[in-house]
Amino acid sequence: MASDNSTTTASQIAEKIAESGIDSGDFRLSKTFGKLNQLGDAAISFEAFVDIVSEELLMVNRALNKQLIIPDWQDFCADIKSIFDQVENNKGGENADYIPILKMADSEKWGLAMCTVDGQRMALGDVDIYHSIQSVSKPLTYAYALAKEGVAFTHEFVGVEPSGRPFNALDLLPDKRPFNPCVNAGAIMTAGLVASSMPEDDAQTITGLIMELWSGLCGAIAPVRFSEETMLSERDTADNNYAIAYQLKAQKGLPRGVDLYKMMDVYLSCCSIEMTAKMLSVAAATLANGGVCPITGEQILSTEIVKKTLAIMQAAGMYDSAGVFTLEVGLPAKSGVAGAVMVVVPNLMGFATFSPRLDSYGNSVRGVEFCRELVDRYTFHIYDNLSGGRTGCKRDPRESQSNRKKRDLSDLQWGAHNGDLYANKVKELSVDCMISICIADGEIEDAEIQSITDAYAEIMGQPADHSLITRLESLGRGQGEQSQAANSTVFDQLVGQLETERLYLDDMGREIILESAFRVACSDGVIEESEQRQLRAIANALLISEGVLELEIAGFQRKVAALSPPS
Ligand code: GLU
């Protein structure tokens, strides 16, 4: 803030902080927001500003100077919104129908909430709807058992292997333990462990303690609730779960001979805990942050326990499609049959989706699709960092997009200028792409020549040289005699060339080539269908993920919309 700027108001400063993703209720800025809110629209001087923020100076500085884990928070939110809107169109799947409250739930609901490890939060759609957390409870009942009973004793009763069987199967490991804490048998056993550790307490009291754990995990942003209706219906329809419980009792034996009905009541009550997507996103962020809740700063679970909980979620969190989910999404997650999916991006953020329609495995259809689309655009899959810089040009929101682009372009310009062969190869391919995208639609006009030379100047950092302009002009002249088919052949040849060259191109080179084509395609303010097809073909040839191109297109359309006068 400039010291001579005395016209800034307190509410403008509050707004600026909020743009970084930090909520006005955040404990780290309680004093600052308290004072700013009191002052409202009053203009404040630089001295007054310093006085207001001094007690929370470091945090204010981080928020105002883009030093939080996702620096370009507003851009990131806009990109996420484009995925959210796209996924909303998916009407596949069916509500769970084994109990009325789930069968009758509004299938159209769709919500997404995110929280970073720095406590930046966003929420879209139906994020305040309380729903039973169902199987999302399972990894945390396991974490509770680990905290209370220790690792060795807990694992005497429950295994850590993916089962490859439906979540409610009666199968056990050869040593009679349930496969893992995320299948019903394992979750019933961990409920038994917790129940057995508190012989004096009833199921209700024990569930209350587990709810306190959830409350700590979600930073108590809203009350954790319990649905009596869900619990009663669950109990009425729990024959299979009782069969599992008897099987556990008969085979392995229950921990400390705990009463089977008390164990089942704890299990079914945990399924009947109610939370919202917003709350689950903060809980997931606490897991992403090694057990420390980002918005209260409190250590809720030890990092060691979180590590184990995430490993179990990774191996078995998504029912018996956990393997495919790990392959495609590569993140620890847990779903529940009410339609929640809670996902952890370690060291970065947690998020939760809510949409009641489920696939045949019991996972929310939209929730899973959102996860797939997300990792198609961002380097969130745990193995994205293995690809030697070739991630399909996926983005890492930890780095400012515009800074990265600027850095890459200045590297290219410097290299090309000094005769670097690789930089010159990227430059040539970029120019070829610009030209092909222009002539592929059969119209190379003066305005298009101008747009290529402008894009060239911007990307190469120097005006288009004489040979390029001559080449463009002769293409322009000759083009009139070219048939549409011949123009398409030029484009096909380019695509073929990119497919060959991509073996030698890193992400930076690929991205600059696509960017060049992109700038020419959108130079007239619209990206026509045909241009989108060409951009897709170029992106495919370069193995750039489709989602990344979608982000570019959506970003461009947002810019155009922001510039056009309101109708
Ligand atoms: N209450 C359900 C059951 O025990 C849990 C279902 C789930 O979310 O997987 O069958």
Side-chain angles (χ1 to χ4, degrees):
M1 191 187 182
S3 58
D4 58 355
N5 182 357
S6 55
T7 55
T8 308
T9 65
S11 49
Q12 282 169 333
I13 296 171
E15 218 170 278
K16 267 268 160 270
I17 296 176
E19 278 173 18
S20 73
I22 299 296
D23 191 82
S24 59
D26 195 294
F27 83 105
R28 295 163 298 180
L29 289 181
S30 59
K31 295 199 166 65
T32 304
F33 273 119
K35 290 179 200 163
L36 290 173
N37 289 344
Q38 260 177 15
L39 290 167
D41 286 332
I44 52 171
S45 65
F46 182 70
E47 290 68 29
F49 171 75
V50 172
D51 192 49
I52 289 168
V53 302
S54 62
E55 286 178 281
E56 293 161 340
L57 191 58
L58 292 180
M59 187 62 200
V60 171
N61 181 47
R62 291 181 69 203
L64 289 180
N65 288 315
K66 299 198 168 207
Q67 287 171 6
L68 298 170
I69 189 123
I70 299 189
D72 291 338
W73 181 249
Q74 293 302 318
D75 289 345
F76 180 70
C77 290
D79 288 343
I80 294 298
K81 168 113 179 25
S82 67
I83 310 179
F84 177 84
D85 291 343
Q86 178 189 324
V87 171
E88 182 161 25
N89 300 324
N90 190 336
K91 310 265 184 197
E94 302 283 344
N95 282 23
D97 61 1
Y98 70 99
I99 54 175
I101 193 169
L102 297 183
K103 187 174 177 181
M104 304 311 291
D106 183 348
S107 319
E108 294 304 322
K109 296 290 179 222
W110 172 222
L112 161 76
M114 288 184 159
C115 175
T116 71
V117 293
D118 274 341
Q120 297 162 283
R121 287 166 58 198
M122 71 172 297
L124 296 166
D126 300 308
V127 288
D128 290 314
I129 295 185
Y130 274 92
H131 52 78
S132 53
I133 61 173
Q134 295 289 349
S135 282
V136 179
S137 65
K138 290 172 178 169
L140 273 306
T141 308
Y142 166 67
Y144 193 94
L146 286 181
K148 195 119 199 347
E149 298 293 311
V151 177
F153 190 66
T154 301
H155 287 298
E156 268 181 42
F157 290 91
V158 63
V160 293
E161 301 301 336
S163 69
R165 304 276 304 119
F167 67 99
N168 53 5
L170 272 74
D171 308 51
L172 299 173
L173 285 164
D175 64 9
K176 314 288 185 217
R177 290 178 307 157
F179 277 84
N180 65 66
C182 283
V183 290
N184 282 15
I188 291 171
M189 193 62 116
T190 51
L193 272 162
V194 176
S196 75
S197 72
M198 290 178 255
E200 306 302 323
D201 295 311
D202 61 13
Q204 205 178 352
T205 311
I206 295 168
T207 308
L209 293 171
I210 294 175
M211 287 166 70
E212 274 175 30
L213 169 65
W214 276 107
S215 180
L217 289 168
C218 75
I221 56 168
V224 175
R225 296 199 323 205
F226 181 77
S227 165
E228 201 65 43
E229 182 188 349
T230 306
M231 170 63 179
L232 294 175
S233 305
E234 286 286 346
R235 220 197 244 139
D236 269 357
T237 53
D239 291 341
N240 187 69
N241 285 328
Y242 280 106
I244 292 174
Y246 276 107
Q247 158 107 320
L248 295 175
K249 186 176 176 194
Q251 300 284 334
K252 174 79 196 164
L254 301 181
R256 303 185 186 95
V258 67
D259 176 67
L260 182 143
Y261 291 94
K262 177 175 165 181
M263 169 175 82
M264 281 300 292
D265 275 358
V266 171
Y267 169 75
L268 297 170
S269 300
C270 286
C271 294
S272 310
I273 292 171
E274 285 192 332
M275 292 172 73
T276 66
K278 255 189 202 162
M279 296 162 80
L280 287 174
S281 73
V282 179
T286 302
L287 297 179
N289 200 29
V292 176
C293 177
I295 64 169
T296 62
E298 204 185 323
Q299 176 116 37
I300 307 297
L301 286 168
S302 78
T303 308
E304 203 45 46
I305 287 178
V306 171
K307 207 168 95 184
K308 292 188 164 52
T309 307
L310 293 179
I312 296 290
M313 286 165 67
Q314 178 96 46
M318 298 299 278
Y319 300 117
D320 48 334
S321 72
V324 171
F325 192 82
T326 291
L327 199 81
E328 293 180 350
V329 178
L331 290 171
K334 186 71 201 88
S335 58
V337 289
V341 184
M342 178 178 82
V343 188
V344 176
V345 187
N347 299 316
L348 178 61
M349 67 159 149
F351 67 90
T353 58
F354 172 61
S355 172
R357 283 189 284 249
L358 310 177
D359 63 19
S360 58
Y361 299 107
N363 295 316
S364 164
V365 170
R366 283 180 177 146
V368 171
E369 188 190 335
F370 179 82
C371 293
R372 284 209 195 99
E373 294 296 328
L374 186 74
V375 297
D376 200 35
R377 290 155 173 80
Y378 296 98
T379 53
F380 291 169
H381 189 294
I382 40 163
Y383 297 124
D384 270 335
N385 61 358
L386 275 184
S387 33
R390 295 176 194 190
T391 66
C393 297
K394 291 202 246 172
R395 296 181 179 182
D396 182 351
R398 279 165 275 227
E399 190 175 18
S400 153
Q401 262 311 100
S402 57
N403 286 354
R404 194 180 53 74
K405 277 192 181 175
K406 270 188 220 139
R407 193 192 56 217
D408 288 354
L409 281 180
S410 87
D411 272 4
L412 173 88
Q413 291 160 9
W414 179 75
H417 181 73
N418 289 297
D420 180 86
L421 291 179
Y422 180 75
N424 276 306
K425 169 59 79 189
V426 172
K427 181 175 156 178
E428 267 167 40
L429 289 170
S430 299
V431 171
D432 288 348
C433 273
M434 291 190 210
I435 295 175
S436 297
I437 210 144
C438 250
I439 61 175
D441 65 1
E443 293 160 34
I444 188 159
E445 294 152 1
D446 286 353
E448 287 183 304
I449 295 180
Q450 187 61 44
S451 81
I452 294 187
T453 50
D454 289 349
Y456 180 96
E458 228 180 299
I459 289 180
M460 304 308 161
Q462 61 187 78
D465 51 31
H466 187 67
S467 65
L468 173 65
I469 297 182
T470 323
R471 188 173 159 204
L472 287 171
E473 284 171 351
S474 74
L475 274 170
R477 278 195 302 278
Q479 190 272 333
E481 295 122 41
Q482 290 263 38
S483 66
Q484 178 65 38
N487 288 332
S488 316
T489 310
V490 173
F491 187 75
D492 292 345
Q493 278 165 354
L494 170 83
V495 167
Q497 191 188 356
L498 294 177
E499 281 169 356
T500 313
E501 302 281 3
R502 73 179 176 214
L503 285 176
Y504 311 101
L505 293 170
D506 63 8
D507 267 7
M508 174 187 107
R510 295 172 194 212
E511 202 170 282
I512 290 174
I513 295 168
L514 180 67
E515 171 93 12
S516 312
F518 190 81
R519 291 207 191 188
V520 172
C522 64
S523 57
D524 56 355
V526 272
I527 311 182
E528 316 277 359
E529 254 317 302
S530 61
E531 288 169 329
Q532 292 202 18
R533 268 200 307 280
Q534 287 156 6
L535 289 173
R536 255 182 217 117
I538 292 173
N540 280 341
L542 291 170
L543 294 183
I544 293 176
S545 105
E546 185 120 332
V548 169
L549 179 61
E550 299 295 338
L551 281 186
E552 291 288 342
I553 294 175
F556 170 74
Q557 280 158 350
R558 275 199 303 278
K559 256 193 239 155
V560 172
L563 290 176
S564 53
S567 52

